[in-house]
Amino acid sequence: MKDVTPQTVYLKDYRVPDFLIDNTDLVFDLREEHCRVTSSLRIRRNPDSATQLAPLVLDGGCAVDLQWV
């Protein structure tokens, strides 16, 4: 892992999230050769968000294989 200089985040930099997650269900299938995590999310647009047309972006990282079912 590279040495990363921590970035300061100020309260003034925060904003209302575009989406709210009302419910999260996770199922973990742990095996010797792999791990599979199945998630179900109940997500809705935040009515208080200033950007009502913002896209929902899932950031799984490069080491994660996202699969839709």
Side-chain angles (χ1 to χ4, degrees):
M1 185 169 160
K2 296 180 181 178
D3 291 330
V4 178
T5 304
Q7 298 293 318
T8 302
V9 177
Y10 298 97
L11 184 58
K12 67 179 179 68
D13 297 326
Y14 282 92
R15 63 180 185 83
V16 173
D18 296 326
F19 294 89
L20 300 172
I21 301 173
D22 294 320
N23 189 44
T24 302
D25 291 319
L26 298 173
V27 176
F28 294 88
D29 182 8
L30 305 175
R31 310 231 175 161
E32 286 288 328
E33 61 280 357
H34 71 273
C35 169
R36 175 172 290 188
V37 180
T38 304
S39 66
S40 297
L41 305 172
R42 185 173 310 144
I43 301 172
R44 62 185 166 96
R45 287 196 181 274
N46 185 348
D48 295 331
S49 172
T51 53
Q52 288 296 307
L53 298 178
L56 176 61
V57 178
L58 301 177
D59 183 8
C62 61
V64 176
D65 179 21
L66 296 177
Q67 299 176 357
W68 296 87
V69 254

